[in-house]
Amino acid sequence: MKRILVVEDEESIRELICLNLEKTGFTVLGAGTGEEAVEIFTREGSSIDVILLDIMLPGISGLQVCKQVRQLSSTVGIIMLTAKTQEMDKISGLMLGADDYVTKPFSVSELMARVDAIYRRVAMSGGGQTSTLHYGPFEMNLKSRVLRKNGDPVELTQVEYQIMELFLKNPDTVLDRMEILKSIWGENYYGDDKIIDVNIRRLRMKIEEEPSRPRHITTVWGVGYRFKA
């Protein structure tokens, strides 16, 4: 069963989103405040696949909710709803573990497509291949979807996991930014390609000894990134 938590304080917008999600087969839970969202996720988080989370909320903000949710789960998909003027909030949300963001005002069809893409990514974690990827100090189990470095598990969000899987399948290869974007977010992604750079920053903080002087994920200026042991 597909379950999604919609966190939006404007009731009319929340009802519109919930109605359209229900039409596409989701079981929808709604929350109007950050506190309510955290309470619902604490109680039912294991059954929730995706969270649609507005940044501007009464009480604790969507960014704070994102942070608390990520402390409870690295696998739930999180899409932030942001205003066009909230550029720094977009980056902050991604750095806190959000998988994607949608800018208001948005079309319902775009929002549904983005939710579906995140859901499919989360659903992939339930099964799949049984093989393991090895490269240098890294080992990735494609069934359990766990990355280890020198035997120690590295906790990743779904997006971070997919980027690392792409790197491990293409070691010592320069991947251009558009190639990464299309592989992870899909051919019809509407958002800013800056989302790649933010996720690379997050990954470096998790796998590099010195994130400011990366050894494993290096930048190829004007092109993209190379992964090496």
Side-chain angles (χ1 to χ4, degrees):
M1 181 182 296
K2 304 190 296 184
R3 287 169 63 88
I4 186 169
L5 172 60
V6 178
V7 189
E8 167 61 63
D9 62 311
E10 293 189 42
E11 187 174 355
S12 59
I13 296 177
R14 186 172 69 248
E15 289 180 350
L16 175 65
I17 293 172
C18 291
L19 179 62
N20 280 276
L21 285 167
E22 287 170 352
K23 287 180 178 178
T24 63
F26 276 94
T27 297
V28 184
L29 303 173
T33 68
E35 288 85 352
E36 186 181 1
V38 172
E39 179 184 345
I40 291 173
F41 192 79
T42 300
R43 184 178 68 245
E44 303 193 39
S46 61
S47 68
I48 294 174
D49 302 298
V50 181
I51 300 177
L52 196 56
L53 178 60
D54 190 21
I55 284 184
M56 298 297 291
L57 295 169
I60 64 173
S61 71
L63 294 176
Q64 292 171 300
V65 174
C66 181
K67 182 178 181 179
Q68 291 188 42
V69 165
R70 272 291 171 246
Q71 290 172 346
L72 296 170
S73 171
S74 63
T75 58
V76 66
I78 301 176
I79 303 175
M80 306 294 292
L81 297 178
T82 73
K84 286 185 177 180
T85 56
Q86 295 172 311
E87 185 66 27
M88 287 307 299
D89 284 341
K90 294 175 186 177
I91 295 174
S92 297
L94 293 171
M95 287 301 294
L96 288 171
D99 298 293
D100 199 357
Y101 64 83
V102 176
T103 302
K104 294 180 177 179
F106 51 79
S107 71
V108 172
S109 59
E110 176 190 350
L111 182 63
M112 295 303 108
R114 302 279 274 275
V115 169
D116 184 62
I118 292 293
Y119 171 75
R120 284 187 281 105
R121 183 181 300 147
V122 171
M124 284 174 59
S125 65
Q129 302 160 314
T130 59
S131 60
T132 302
L133 300 175
H134 296 272
Y135 182 62
F138 298 97
E139 176 184 297
M140 175 176 281
N141 186 301
L142 297 175
K143 182 176 181 180
S144 64
R145 296 177 73 82
V146 172
L147 175 72
R148 294 181 182 275
K149 180 184 179 184
N150 295 320
D152 297 322
V154 181
E155 191 168 287
L156 302 175
T157 66
Q158 294 296 332
V159 168
E160 292 165 352
Y161 174 90
Q162 282 196 295
I163 294 174
M164 281 300 300
E165 182 179 357
L166 183 64
F167 280 146
L168 284 165
K169 288 180 176 178
N170 298 276
D172 294 312
T173 302
V174 178
L175 299 176
D176 69 62
R177 299 170 83 257
M178 289 308 299
E179 185 179 357
I180 297 172
L181 188 70
K182 289 179 180 180
S183 177
I184 306 303
W185 285 272
E187 293 282 342
N188 299 315
Y189 182 71
Y190 297 94
D192 193 331
D193 62 4
K194 192 177 298 171
I195 195 170
I196 301 170
D197 305 317
V198 177
N199 277 279
I200 293 296
R201 283 169 57 192
R202 285 198 336 222
L203 270 173
R204 284 172 171 165
M205 292 170 64
K206 294 183 177 184
I207 70 169
E208 301 281 1
E209 286 77 13
E210 296 182 65
S212 61
R213 299 176 61 186
R215 170 188 170 190
H216 302 297
I217 303 176
T218 58
T219 301
V220 180
W221 295 107
V223 182
Y225 297 96
R226 177 190 287 115
F227 182 69
K228 56 185 181 181

